[in-house]
Amino acid sequence: MRISHVPRAYWAALVVSALGFVVSMSSTTMGSPAAAGTVTACSFLDLGPLVAAAGSVALTLVALGERRRQHVDARASVPWVLTGVAVVAALAVVHVLRGLGVLGGPC
């Protein structure tokens, strides 16, 4: 397999996934009673990683469509494709968890 056999949309998916670690558009809301002094309610949302997760998954689906249209001799092999899909899926899960504040959120 040559590097040119990998669809360009897959490379774009990896770039979008990498940008998800850099771009942040977050919103945090904390509430507490005035007398208690401790935070009792907190909500966090970061749209940067969520958009990166959606974009990378969409681009991976486009890459799979491109692979189907390629000539059989110019296609990446199935193990490479499955590995690529697994990498993007894992990054998307991490981005969703980061975007919802489960990983690294202030709450």
Side-chain angles (χ1 to χ4, degrees):
M1 186 190 95
R2 294 187 347 218
I3 201 81
S4 63
H5 293 170
V6 178
R8 288 186 199 122
Y10 178 72
W11 296 113
L14 290 178
V15 169
V16 169
S17 290
L19 287 175
F21 289 106
V22 179
V23 176
S24 176
M25 296 178 286
S26 63
S27 169
T28 305
T29 305
M30 294 187 185
S32 62
T38 59
V39 175
T40 58
C42 178
S43 66
F44 176 78
L45 183 68
D46 191 353
L47 291 178
L50 293 175
V51 170
S56 63
V57 168
L59 285 168
T60 301
L61 293 174
V62 170
L64 291 174
E66 283 182 25
R67 182 185 180 275
R68 288 190 70 199
R69 288 189 300 273
Q70 289 176 331
H71 188 272
V72 176
D73 295 335
R75 288 182 184 171
S77 62
V78 173
W80 284 103
V81 172
L82 293 177
T83 302
V85 169
V87 166
V88 172
L91 287 171
V93 168
V94 168
H95 284 318
V96 168
L97 293 176
R98 286 181 59 237
L100 296 177
V102 176
L103 291 177
C107 301

